[in-house]
Amino acid sequence: EIVLTQSPATLSLSPGERATLSCRASQSVSNYLAWYQQKPGQAPRLLIYDASNRATGIPARFSGSGSGTDFTLTISSLEPEDFAVYYCQQRSNWPRTFGQGTKLEIK
Amino acid sequence: QVQLVESGGGVVQPGGSLRLSCAASGFTFSTYGMHWVRQAPGKGLEWVAFIRYDGSNTYYADSVKGRFTVSRDNSKNTLYLQMNSLRAEDTAVYYCAKDRTTVVTGTYFDLWGRGTLVTVSS
C-alpha cells in the first residue's frame, strides 16, 4: 500500500498570503495524484488531478506541481473560503489511498 | 441536476449488517466507475471500494475485504454497499463518489454525495 504523508499537519496563515502544502508518497506514483478540499460538514471537493490539472470550476489561485514522490499544492493568495482541510490522494496503485490531511487555519 | 444521494445508514450492533444505497442523477451512471469512501468521526478520508462501470470488476480496501460487497444496478442508476460483520471501527460517514473518467479504471473522485452515517455500537 502506498502511504501518503502530508505536511504540515496544520498551517496558520492570513487571507492574502500564499499557502504551500506538501504530500510525499512512500513510492513513486508518477503524476497520478489529486488534491481535495473539505470544509466542516461537507463532502470533499476535487481541486487538482494528475498532479497539476485544475478540476472544473476551480479558481486559478489553486495550482499543483510535482511528480514521483513529492507534490505541492499552492494557493497563491488565500481567500476566506479557502480555510479548510486538504487531502492528497493517489491513483497509481490499489488500494487508492489518501494522505492524513493538512488543516489550513486562519492566523 | 448532477448529484449523488446516499441512504441506508443508521445504528447497528457489532456483527450486524447494513446495506447502503447511492442514487445517481444528472449524468450517465452506466458509463462511470463508482467508489465508496468513508470518514470516521474527526478523522481523515479512507477509500473503501470501487466498481467498474459495468460491474465486471471490483476492488476493496484490506480493512473491509471479505466483509463488504459493492454492487450496482445500472437500470436503476443506483450503487450499493452491503456491509456484513460490522465492527466498531467501521463507524463513519460513508460517501459514494463518481470516478472522474470513463476511460481509465478507478482514478479520482469528482462528484460526491453528502454521505450517510453508520454507527456500530451495542
Side-chain angles (χ1 to χ4, degrees), chain A residues 5-43:
Chain A
T5 302
Q6 293 186 239
S7 62
T10 303
L11 184 59
S12 300
L13 294 170
S14 300
E17 290 192 293
R18 181 184 186 91
T20 303
L21 288 67
S22 295
C23 177
R24 175 165 289 179
S26 58
Q27 66 187 77
S28 176
V29 298
S30 184
N31 68 327
Y32 297 143
L33 189 106
W35 291 93
Y36 299 82
Q37 176 194 67
Q38 187 179 32
K39 297 179 180 179
Q42 296 185 15

Side-chain angles (χ1 to χ4, degrees), chain B residues 1-113:
Chain B
Q1 184 178 2
V2 179
Q3 65 177 358
L4 298 169
V5 179
E6 301 93 339
S7 61
V11 180
V12 59
Q13 291 188 341
S17 298
L18 211 56
R19 188 176 85 154
L20 306 183
S21 300
C22 171
S25 58
F27 65 97
T28 307
F29 179 74
S30 61
T31 64
Y32 287 91
M34 296 293 295
H35 302 260
W36 288 98
V37 177
R38 68 184 180 183
Q39 187 168 35
K43 302 298 184 182
L45 301 169
E46 180 187 15
W47 173 82
V48 172
F50 169 79
I51 185 167
R52 271 176 53 105
Y53 69 97
D54 58 359
S56 63
N57 207 355
T58 57
Y59 296 87
Y60 297 93
D62 286 346
S63 58
V64 307
K65 200 173 294 182
R67 300 186 300 122
F68 289 12
T69 302
V70 60
S71 61
R72 63 192 297 159
D73 186 337
N74 286 343
S75 69
K76 296 181 178 180
N77 289 344
T78 303
L79 174 73
Y80 302 100
L81 185 67
Q82 178 67 44
M83 304 185 295
N84 298 331
S85 302
L86 283 161
R87 307 166 180 166
E89 55 264 35
D90 295 319
T91 294
V93 173
Y94 285 73
Y95 297 100
C96 65
K98 168 185 163 292
D99 202 86
R100 196 192 75 81
T101 176
T102 61
V103 177
V104 182
T105 294
T107 61
Y108 310 113
F109 323 114
D110 71 342
L111 177 67
W112 298 66

Side-chain angles (χ1 to χ4, degrees), chain A residues 41-60:
Chain A
Q42 296 185 15
R45 176 173 69 147
L46 177 66
L47 299 175
I48 301 288
Y49 66 92
D50 287 345
S52 61
N53 296 292
R54 274 190 302 276
T56 302
I58 301 304

Side-chain angles (χ1 to χ4, degrees), chain A residues 21-99:
Chain A
L21 288 67
S22 295
C23 177
R24 175 165 289 179
S26 58
Q27 66 187 77
S28 176
V29 298
S30 184
N31 68 327
Y32 297 143
L33 189 106
W35 291 93
Y36 299 82
Q37 176 194 67
Q38 187 179 32
K39 297 179 180 179
Q42 296 185 15
R45 176 173 69 147
L46 177 66
L47 299 175
I48 301 288
Y49 66 92
D50 287 345
S52 61
N53 296 292
R54 274 190 302 276
T56 302
I58 301 304
R61 65 181 181 273
F62 291 91
S63 63
S65 63
S67 66
T69 61
D70 290 296
F71 299 86
T72 300
L73 173 69
T74 300
I75 311 172
S76 59
S77 179
L78 285 165
E79 297 288 342
E81 62 267 27
D82 298 336
F83 292 91
V85 179
Y86 292 83
Y87 296 93
C88 56
Q89 174 248 326
Q90 64 82 22
R91 68 126 170 139
S92 177
N93 283 12
W94 296 100
R96 303 313 192 215
T97 50
F98 290 90

